[in-house]
């Protein structure tokens, strides 16, 4: 059956009990799909972290057998000693898994799915069945990527950016099938993202509850909506590029082969034309959800709601014009470098607006430090470091020195771990009750937060210093270089911190699983929030609302003088509120 | 399916749109999807433009390798299918089942014809030695190119093959998908007469896709075959 | 180990390190303002029973101020950076008297071709050395970078110079060393399995030493002793 036929099915069958497969596996319910994304991407987060630990071992203790490394096959780590070819696979797959299969689906797959219909008062996504396909395509993509480790020659070896011609020529990279699987997987992932994005965009435009005007939407939904537009327009470019790369590897085309007139830089232009919007895909939803959580934790309306929205739109818009800042030293025309430098520096402005508005929200608030709020404030504190360190790279002359060093590694981890992951720890804890009907442990949540903050900074902050010293990234054995050898104690410190950081994340995972079965039962509105999702029972039922709610105000009316409590739900009708004016019904 | 059914029917009126635009979900969804398709073809066409202008030698002259008359006929076929798609939509908008069946059927035939001609074109080209990797060694084309390296763009044959087969191949893939989905709608919806004067979203949505594919072809035909 | 930038051994080090310090000051101020503000708010406005937060939706003047300050700072930074960028990498930045050296990168070595006693590349007295870059101090040097296979990157931290080496492109980069000594040339773009050991020794000589080395190496035709 197609969705086209669906509206004609018997409407009363909707809430009839369904079998396990329909309900939990091939579900079309946006909440279940969100939860499926959550489990799968948490798994990939662990995989990515596990790869990172092996990288850290090699960097801290090059050439020494890795504890437990004996179980790896001879082609990867004979006797537990990591081989250079396996090291490059680790670096490549760590980046790929974290960017494409952990952070991106955690932010977009999980929260766009879960939050958009709930926060807008819709029964489900506009196209529930396409939504299901979006998940299964992403799952397939992840499995194809993972399969890379099990094929001859192992996984892809050209870095997560897969620069051609290294990635296009198996004879030069040494990876044949792995590199092909990398391309195929990303084409699948692109398809999944496009299917998801078109669902999110249509739902946000068309399926808002009465009274939910554009400027009453929560910032999380704004951010997810803009992210969906970025994904819709950026992912097809990646798919196109990955297809060309795959053809270069398999059917003998010459897109990126200079020997036959192809252009090596073409790949970089295509990849970063996708890649920079992708960077904002990885941070905008985090910013949106952090805005929701900070307003809630401060018990105060968000400071400058409209400028927050315009900052999101501005970041997304500028995000299309800065891709060349990844290519200042690539041999690109230096005049283009100047242009890209200016557009890049200007992006700092909307980012600064957001940071100051979060601080403005906390100013004179009544701050409740529940676990989501702790993580949200942690996000702001760490994102600032990541944002500021970006300015060093934006200045072209300086980029010439720190490009491709550990300085950039520190920067990306401050943005993606310090930024996106802290926001995710907050967001998962925050909406966990609505997902599973239970609350995660507060005490272990706090322990996890403080230990993560500590070990995280111990791991990534010294990388700035290592990078300032000129340490190149993706180097298997830094002790090969005289000028890097003195940094080995620093590297060992980073490695030990990274191990502790990884161990700390296990607290989160245990808390997550334990609370699933043993957590405290959640009330309907545990955080005293205003959003529409909190008017539903925890967990939210299938189909969400019996009757679609009516919205009377924006989502951030905390501590309003009009009511005695310090929150005022969007659906609560005060005597002064008017009913929304409804436009004529859309055709067909 | 059942849950989707409830959700889909509940999202229609009686919850009208102050919210939203005056376009129903499926049509809006298709427009949004076409936005991503535009970016996909932009990536392919943009790469073609960059590669061709940065190429180390001149491109083969139009008509030397590719058969323009056959493809011109194919272009005509695809434009006809777009016209018949418009006619099919106009017919059902008037509630005319009979002409819907005729025009929609003709659209499918023209689309299938396009794919068939393209398949013929590909086998023909490959037979003459034109491959994604360039001119096959020892083939008829390779000999011609050796005799007239400029006219046949010998130096950039690899790029020519790469871009030609990738762009037209993906366009052909899109046409094939369109034909299959139209065929599906034809069997399940058009022939049983399920579309009505008021409810014919499927025709309109697949029509949008079809016109888009047609438009892409007109661009490709111009820049790949004629220039 | 040290905690700061490496030895300043070229004329680029001045502006680049200066820019680093300038940005460090700017970002340092922003960092302190934000983090101190956060800590202050966390302490000052933490939850107290019976207190209600201050109900406000924002303040246009404050927002204009904190939009304008970063905007002005960033534009100024862009102007200053561009001034140095043009001097370092601009189209016409290479000094006409620069001493030419050709560097051909391949997996996983640097093949360095010197112009020989006549000081011109492409003449009969050129000679090639593996993984040994010798340059005179106080004299601009232009390296002609080419690659055999994949993208490599020419990087000498102490000289603050980096330039990707792209197959199919001829790229020139220049620098002027200021401090004689031994440094390392690293490949800083992932180029395959042996990327980590694609390293060459850089020797900055005084002019007299360089001339002596050149004479001896040109006679040997192989470039002195291997390391």
């Amino acid at each position: 059956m197609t969705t086209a036929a669906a509206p004609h099915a018997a409407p009363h069958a909707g809430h009839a009990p369904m079998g396990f497969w329909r309900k939990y596996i091939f579900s079309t319910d946006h909440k279940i799909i969100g939860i499926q994304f959550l489990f799968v991407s948490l798994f990939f987060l662990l995989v990515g972290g596990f790869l990172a630990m092996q990288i850290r071992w090699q960097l801290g203790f090059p050439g020494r057998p890795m504890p437990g490394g004996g179980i790896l096959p001879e082609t990867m780590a004979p006797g537990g000693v990591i081989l250079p070819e396996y090291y490059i696979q680790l670096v490549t797959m760590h980046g790929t898994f974290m960017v494409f299969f952990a952070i991106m689906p955690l932010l977009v797959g999980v929260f766009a799915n879960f939050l958009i219909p709930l926060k807008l008062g819709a029964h489900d996504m506009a196209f529930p069945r396409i939504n299901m396909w979006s998940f299964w395509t992403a799952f397939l993509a992840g499995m194809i990527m993972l399969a890379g480790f099990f094929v001859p020659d192992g996984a892809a070896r050209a870095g997560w950016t897969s620069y051609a011609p290294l990635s296009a020529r198996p004879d030069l990279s040494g990876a044949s099938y792995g590199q092909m699987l990398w391309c195929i997987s990303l084409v699948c992932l692109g398809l999944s993202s496009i299917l998801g994005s078109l669902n999110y965009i249509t739902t946000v435009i068309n399926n808002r509850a009465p009274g939910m005007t554009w400027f009453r939407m929560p910032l999380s939904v704004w951010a997810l909506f803009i992210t969906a537009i970025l994904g819709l327009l950026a992912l097809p470019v990646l798919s196109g590029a990955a297809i060309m790369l795959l053809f270069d590897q398999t059917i003998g085309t010459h897109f990126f082969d200079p020997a036959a007139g192809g252009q090596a830089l073409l790949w970089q232009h295509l990849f970063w034309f996708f890649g920079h919007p992708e960077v904002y895909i990885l941070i905008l939803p985090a910013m949106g959800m952090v805005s929701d959580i900070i307003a809630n934790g401060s018990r105060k309306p968000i400071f400058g709601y409209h400028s927050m929205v315009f900052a999101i739109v501005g970041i997304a818009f500028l995000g299309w014009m800065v891709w060349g800042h990844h290519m200042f030293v690539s041999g690109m025309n230096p005049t283009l470098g100047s242009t890209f430098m200016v557009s890049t520096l200007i992006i700092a402005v909307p980012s600064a607006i957001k940071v100051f508005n979060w601080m403005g929200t906390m100013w004179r608030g009544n701050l409740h430090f529940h676990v989501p709020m702790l993580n949200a404030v942690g996000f702001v504190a760490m994102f600032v470091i990541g944002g500021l360190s970006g300015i060093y790279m934006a200045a072209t002359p300086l980029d010439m020195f720190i490009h491709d060093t550990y300085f950039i590694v520190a920067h990306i981890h401050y943005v993606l771990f310090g930024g996106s992951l802290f926001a995710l720890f907050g967001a998962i804890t925050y909406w966990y009750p609505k997902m599973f009907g239970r609350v995660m442990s507060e005490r272990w949540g706090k322990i996890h937060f403080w230990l993560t903050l500590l070990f995280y900074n111990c791991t990534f902050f010294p990388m700035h210093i290592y990078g300032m010293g000129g340490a190149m990234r993706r180097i298997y054995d830094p002790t090969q270089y005289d000028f890097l050898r003195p940094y080995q104690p620093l590297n060992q410190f980073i490695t030990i911190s990274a191990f502790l950081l990884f161990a700390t994340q296990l607290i989160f995972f245990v808390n997550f699983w334990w609370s699933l079965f043993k957590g405290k039962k959640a009330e309907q509105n545990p955080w005293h929030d205003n959003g529409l999702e909190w008017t539903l029972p925890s967990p939210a039922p299938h189909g969400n609302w019996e009757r679609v709610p009516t919205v009377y105000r924006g989502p951030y009316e905390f501590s309003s003088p009009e009511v005695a409590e310090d929150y005022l739900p969007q659906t609560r009708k005060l005597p002064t509120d008017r009913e929304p004016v409804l436009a004529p019904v859309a055709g067909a | 399916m059942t849950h989707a059914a409830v959700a889909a029917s509940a999202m229609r009126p009686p919850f009208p749109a102050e919210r939203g635009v005056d376009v129903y979900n499926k049509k809006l969804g298709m427009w949004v999807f076409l936005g991503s398709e535009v970016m996909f073809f932009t990536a392919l066409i943009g790469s073609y433009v960059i590669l061709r202008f940065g190429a180390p030698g001149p491109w083969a002259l139009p008509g030397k390798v590719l058969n323009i008359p056959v493809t011109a006929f194919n272009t005509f076929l695809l434009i006809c299918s777009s016209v018949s798609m418009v006619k099919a939509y106009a017919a059902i908008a008037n509630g005319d089942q009979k002409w819907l069946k005729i025009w929609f059927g003709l659209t499918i035939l023209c689309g299938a014809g396009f794919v068939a001609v393209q398949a013929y074109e590909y086998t023909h080209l490959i037979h003459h030695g034109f491959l994604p990797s360039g001119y096959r060694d020892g083939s008829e084309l390779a000999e011609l190119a050796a005799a007239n390296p400029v006219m046949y763009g010998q130096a950039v044959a690899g790029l020519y093959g790469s871009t030609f087969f990738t762009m037209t191949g993906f366009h052909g893939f899109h046409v094939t998908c369109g034909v299959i989905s139209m065929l599906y709608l034809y069997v399940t919806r058009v022939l049983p007469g399920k579309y009505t004067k008021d409810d014919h979203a499927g025709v309109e949505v697949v029509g949008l896709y079809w016109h888009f594919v047609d438009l892409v072809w007109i661009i490709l035909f111009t820049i790949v075959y004629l220039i | 180990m040290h905690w700061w930038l490496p030895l300043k051994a070229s004329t680029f080090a001045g502006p680049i390190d200066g820019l680093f310090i300038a940005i460090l000051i700017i970002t340092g101020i922003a960092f302190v303002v934000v983090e101190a503000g956060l800590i202050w708010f966390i302490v000052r406005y933490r939850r107290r029973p019976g207190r209600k937060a201050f109900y406000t939706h924002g303040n246009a003047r404050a927002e204009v101020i904190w939009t304008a300050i970063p905007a002005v700072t960033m534009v100024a930074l862009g102007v200053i950076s561009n001034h140095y960028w043009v001097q370092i990498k601009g189209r016409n930045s290479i000094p006409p008297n620069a001493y030419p050296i050709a560097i051909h990168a391949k997996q996983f070595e640097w093949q360095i071709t010197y112009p020989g006693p006549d000081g011109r590349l492409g003449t009969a007295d050129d000679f090639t050395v593996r993984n040994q870059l010798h340059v005179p101090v106080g004299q601009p040097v232009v390296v002609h970078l080419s690659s055999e296979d994949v993208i490599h990157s020419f990087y000498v931290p102490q000289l603050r110079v980096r330039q990707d080496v792209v197959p199919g492109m001829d790229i020139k980069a220049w620098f002027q060393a200021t401090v004689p000594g031994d440094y390392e040339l690293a490949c800083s773009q992932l180029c395959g399995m042996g990327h980590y050991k694609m390293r060459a020794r850089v020797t900055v000589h005084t002019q007299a030493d360089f001339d002596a080395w050149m004479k001896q190496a040109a006679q040997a035709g192989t470039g002195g002793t291997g390391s």
Side-chain angles (χ1 to χ4, degrees):
Chain A
M1 293 298 285
T2 63
T3 39
H8 298 269
H12 298 294
H15 294 218
M18 290 182 288
F20 173 81
W21 287 89
R22 289 231 68 111
K23 195 168 173 190
Y24 295 112
I25 308 298
F26 296 104
S27 173
T28 55
D29 179 354
H30 71 102
K31 298 183 292 298
I32 301 290
I33 294 171
I35 291 166
Q36 287 176 319
F37 265 115
L38 181 60
F39 286 138
V40 172
S41 32
L42 282 178
F43 166 72
F44 282 123
L45 186 68
L46 263 183
V47 171
F50 193 62
L51 301 177
M53 290 309 104
Q54 299 177 51
I55 295 173
R56 276 322 316 177
W57 176 266
Q58 171 61 28
L59 289 177
F61 309 98
R64 292 219 235 138
M66 183 166 52
I71 57 165
L72 291 171
E74 290 282 304
T75 51
M76 292 177 175
V81 179
I82 291 173
L83 292 174
E85 50 264 48
Y86 181 53
Y87 179 80
I88 310 178
Q89 295 174 36
L90 288 173
V91 169
T92 304
M93 298 310 263
H94 167 69
T96 305
F97 275 125
M98 285 305 198
V99 167
F100 293 107
F101 297 99
I103 307 289
M104 188 167 148
L106 274 174
L107 285 169
V108 183
V110 177
F111 286 101
N113 265 311
F114 190 78
L115 291 184
I116 287 177
L118 280 181
K119 279 192 164 291
L120 295 183
H123 289 281
D124 205 319
M125 284 291 175
F127 311 107
R129 197 173 313 264
I130 290 181
N131 211 16
M132 176 185 88
W133 281 107
S134 161
F135 169 73
W136 283 105
T137 322
F139 182 78
L140 180 70
M143 289 302 129
I144 293 174
M145 193 59 85
L146 202 54
F149 281 111
F150 303 97
V151 295
D153 302 335
R157 295 181 187 182
W160 82 276
T161 49
S162 232
Y163 276 10
L166 180 64
S167 54
R169 296 266 307 269
D171 55 324
L172 297 178
S173 69
S176 46
Y177 301 105
Q179 207 71 47
M180 293 173 201
L181 290 175
W182 189 90
C183 294
I184 296 168
S185 169
L186 287 194
V187 173
C188 283
L189 185 83
L191 184 63
S192 157
S193 287
I194 291 164
L195 294 178
S197 296
L198 88 97
N199 236 322
Y200 312 144
I201 293 171
T202 310
T203 309
V204 171
I205 292 178
N206 257 6
N207 292 350
R208 281 172 282 133
M212 181 62 86
T213 57
W214 283 102
F215 287 109
R216 282 180 184 169
M217 294 200 317
L219 288 173
S220 53
V221 176
W222 261 111
L224 290 163
F225 175 61
I226 299 295
T227 303
I229 295 176
L230 290 181
L232 181 89
L233 301 178
L235 266 300
V237 178
L238 175 70
S239 296
I243 286 168
M244 288 183 231
L245 187 57
L246 182 65
F247 284 176
D248 268 17
Q249 294 160 5
T250 51
I251 62 170
T253 59
H254 303 285
F255 289 106
F256 309 118
D257 175 13
Q263 294 186 19
L265 284 193
L266 176 63
W267 169 264
Q268 292 183 34
H269 279 292
L270 289 169
F271 185 85
W272 290 118
F273 185 75
F274 144 80
H276 211 80
E278 168 74 12
V279 169
Y280 295 112
I281 292 174
L282 297 173
I283 195 73
L284 284 179
M287 289 176 162
M289 294 188 292
V290 159
S291 305
D292 282 15
I293 293 171
I294 286 192
N296 175 292
S298 306
R299 314 309 293 167
K300 229 181 123 224
I302 199 88
F303 198 91
Y305 172 87
H306 283 82
S307 53
M308 289 297 252
V309 173
F310 296 136
I312 295 173
V313 176
I315 290 174
F317 180 72
L318 288 170
W320 291 100
M321 295 187 276
V322 298
W323 80 89
H325 69 209
H326 299 269
M327 300 169 61
F328 286 150
V329 292
S330 67
M332 181 180 73
N333 182 339
T335 314
L336 278 177
S338 305
T339 320
F340 282 120
M341 168 173 64
V342 173
S343 54
T344 304
L345 286 168
I346 288 176
I347 278 205
V349 176
S351 314
I353 294 175
K354 295 200 79 78
V355 169
F356 288 127
N357 279 358
W358 286 320
M359 293 177 69
T361 308
M362 289 168 65
W363 170 69
R364 297 183 68 183
N366 190 26
L367 307 185
H368 290 217
F369 284 103
H370 43 56
V371 176
M373 179 68 174
L374 278 177
N375 280 288
V377 176
F379 165 92
V380 178
M382 295 300 109
F383 172 75
V384 167
I385 301 178
L388 291 174
S389 68
I391 296 174
Y392 294 75
M393 266 79 72
T396 38
L398 191 46
D399 181 72
M400 186 170 81
F401 173 56
I402 51 180
H403 187 86
D404 266 327
T405 63
Y406 264 80
F407 200 89
I408 192 92
V409 177
H411 166 71
I412 194 174
H413 285 94
Y414 264 90
V415 178
L416 285 188
F417 193 135
S420 310
L421 257 189
F422 270 104
L424 278 166
F425 292 139
I428 290 171
T429 318
Y430 194 70
W431 280 288
Y432 193 92
K434 204 46 73 187
M435 289 178 178
F436 303 110
R438 291 178 189 271
V439 188
M440 282 172 73
S441 159
E442 177 92 5
R443 177 199 292 176
W444 287 105
K446 284 185 175 166
I447 292 172
H448 167 254
F449 168 76
W450 287 111
L451 289 179
T452 305
L453 191 69
L454 174 68
F455 295 136
Y456 159 78
N457 280 296
C458 289
T459 305
F460 295 110
F461 201 84
M463 288 186 186
H464 289 114
I465 292 157
Y466 195 38
M468 277 164 61
M472 301 76 68
R473 66 198 189 128
R474 293 168 172 174
I475 293 287
Y476 162 72
D477 181 0
T479 60
Q480 289 281 323
Y481 286 87
D482 296 338
F483 77 104
L484 292 182
R485 222 167 284 136
Y487 285 93
Q488 227 25 43
L490 185 73
N491 247 338
Q492 285 168 1
F493 174 76
I494 295 175
T495 295
I496 290 163
S497 305
F499 288 160
L500 292 170
L501 181 63
F502 185 73
T504 306
Q505 300 323 301
L506 299 179
I507 299 178
F508 178 83
F509 281 89
V510 171
N511 189 358
F512 184 93
W513 282 103
W514 183 84
S515 307
L516 215 48
F517 303 102
K518 298 279 166 92
K520 193 170 68 125
K521 289 265 187 211
E523 316 153 35
Q524 179 178 310
N525 190 357
W527 315 108
H528 294 181
D529 197 83
N530 301 330
L532 262 52
E533 74 271 34
W534 305 107
T535 62
L536 291 168
S538 302
H542 218 105
N544 301 348
W545 280 273
E546 291 285 317
R547 249 191 73 83
V548 164
T550 304
V551 176
Y552 296 98
R553 62 184 59 74
Y556 300 119
E557 292 301 300
F558 293 102
S559 300
S560 162
E562 293 185 70
V563 288
E565 310 85 52
D566 67 353
Y567 65 111
L568 178 53
Q570 288 185 277
T571 51
R572 184 165 152 199
K573 187 168 191 282
L574 295 180
T576 49
D577 286 327
R578 284 180 302 156
E579 288 295 330
V581 183
L582 301 181
V585 177
Chain B
M1 182 209 77
T2 46
H3 168 61
V6 172
S9 56
M11 278 182 293
R12 288 158 173 260
F15 301 111
E18 153 193 40
R19 52 193 185 135
V21 290
D22 194 17
V23 178
Y24 57 93
N25 278 352
K26 277 183 206 157
K27 189 171 167 186
L28 180 62
M30 181 50 84
W31 275 114
V32 173
F33 176 66
L34 292 183
S36 86
E37 291 285 74
V38 167
M39 292 306 284
F40 178 75
F41 281 105
T42 303
L44 297 187
I45 294 172
S47 302
Y48 166 71
V49 171
I50 290 170
L51 289 173
R52 183 161 174 179
F53 282 94
W59 225 243
L61 292 179
K64 281 294 164 201
V65 177
L66 305 172
N67 189 336
I68 294 180
V70 169
T71 318
F73 167 74
N74 221 10
T75 310
F76 175 71
L77 208 57
L78 204 59
I79 292 174
C80 286
S81 78
S82 246
V83 173
S84 64
M85 181 53 100
V86 172
K87 288 286 195 184
Y89 177 73
I92 193 61
N94 282 324
D96 188 340
Q97 294 286 347
K98 183 180 138 204
W99 281 101
L100 170 69
K101 283 173 198 165
I102 294 171
W103 287 120
F104 204 84
L106 268 178
T107 310
I108 297 172
L109 279 181
C110 288
F114 178 90
V115 176
V117 172
Q118 200 180 23
Y120 163 79
E121 183 200 13
Y122 269 33
T123 44
H124 192 76
L125 287 173
I126 290 167
H127 180 75
H128 283 270
F130 191 40
L131 300 175
S133 52
Y135 304 145
R136 189 178 66 235
D137 285 339
S139 68
E140 188 188 332
L141 258 175
E143 280 164 26
L144 283 168
N148 292 301
V150 175
M151 214 178 263
Y152 283 86
Q154 193 191 30
V156 294
L159 291 186
Y160 193 27
S162 306
T163 52
F164 169 80
F165 281 102
T166 307
M167 286 194 293
T168 58
F170 269 94
H171 178 267
F173 172 71
H174 278 78
V175 177
T176 311
C177 291
V179 169
I180 291 171
S181 41
M182 286 196 295
L183 205 58
Y184 177 79
L185 287 183
Y186 198 65
V187 174
T188 58
R189 314 273 293 149
V190 175
L191 283 182
K194 284 191 180 163
Y195 286 125
T196 63
K197 193 171 186 308
D198 302 317
D199 179 12
H200 48 267
V203 180
E204 192 177 10
V205 170
V206 85
L208 275 178
Y209 175 80
W210 196 248
H211 295 317
F212 169 80
V213 169
D214 193 7
L215 183 71
V216 171
W217 180 252
I218 290 170
I219 295 171
L220 286 185
F221 180 60
T222 312
I223 63 172
V224 175
Y225 289 82
L226 298 184
I227 298 179
Chain C
M1 70 175 269
H2 50 274
W3 300 85
W4 194 241
L5 300 159
L7 176 76
K8 294 181 182 187
S10 85
T11 53
F12 296 159
I16 287 178
D17 292 12
L19 207 53
F20 186 90
I21 292 167
I23 298 176
L24 187 66
I25 292 168
I26 295 169
T27 54
I29 291 170
F31 173 77
V32 169
V33 166
V34 172
E35 304 291 349
L38 278 176
I39 292 169
W40 168 246
F41 291 168
I42 286 168
V43 175
R44 172 73 179 74
Y45 301 116
R46 71 186 182 279
R47 173 192 205 172
R48 297 206 189 86
R51 196 167 69 105
K52 221 172 171 178
F54 173 57
Y55 180 74
T56 174
H57 284 94
N59 179 321
R61 192 194 294 172
E63 289 184 57
V64 169
I65 291 173
W66 66 52
T67 309
I69 291 176
V72 171
T73 317
M74 287 304 122
V75 170
L77 193 57
V79 171
I80 296 168
S81 300
N82 197 48
H83 174 74
Y84 293 121
W85 177 244
V86 172
Q87 288 179 2
I88 294 170
K89 289 274 185 203
R91 294 241 137 177
N92 307 313
S93 62
I94 301 171
N97 63 339
Y99 184 80
I101 295 175
I103 299 186
H104 189 64
K106 62 182 280 195
Q107 283 182 337
F108 303 98
E109 64 180 51
W110 304 93
Q111 296 176 342
I112 298 164
T113 303
Y114 295 88
D118 69 347
R120 292 214 312 266
L121 281 171
T123 52
D125 62 348
D126 293 1
F127 62 93
T128 302
V129 179
R130 276 178 70 239
N131 293 338
Q132 299 264 345
L133 178 60
H134 295 264
V135 295
V137 72
Q139 153 85 16
V141 172
V142 57
V143 285
H144 298 241
L145 299 164
S146 61
S147 169
E148 175 92 16
D149 33 45
V150 302
I151 298 177
H152 304 276
S153 190
F154 173 89
Y155 176 46
V156 187
Q158 290 83 357
L159 301 182
R160 307 287 191 279
V161 64
R162 180 196 310 267
Q163 177 58 55
D164 280 9
V165 187
V166 184
M169 289 175 81
D170 288 313
I171 302 175
K172 294 189 184 78
W174 76 279
F175 57 88
Q176 180 175 340
T178 52
V179 181
D182 280 333
Y183 310 114
E184 279 164 296
L185 162 60
C187 177
S188 76
Q189 185 68 269
L190 180 62
C191 62
M193 234 155 61
H195 168 55
Y196 70 102
K197 52 183 181 189
M198 183 164 165
R199 137 182 194 277
R201 186 143 300 279
V202 181
T203 314
V204 177
H205 299 276
T206 59
Q207 190 67 48
D209 283 356
F210 182 75
D211 293 341
W213 172 83
M214 173 58 72
K215 203 171 156 199
Q216 179 246 326
Q219 275 167 6
T222 55
T225 53
S227 62

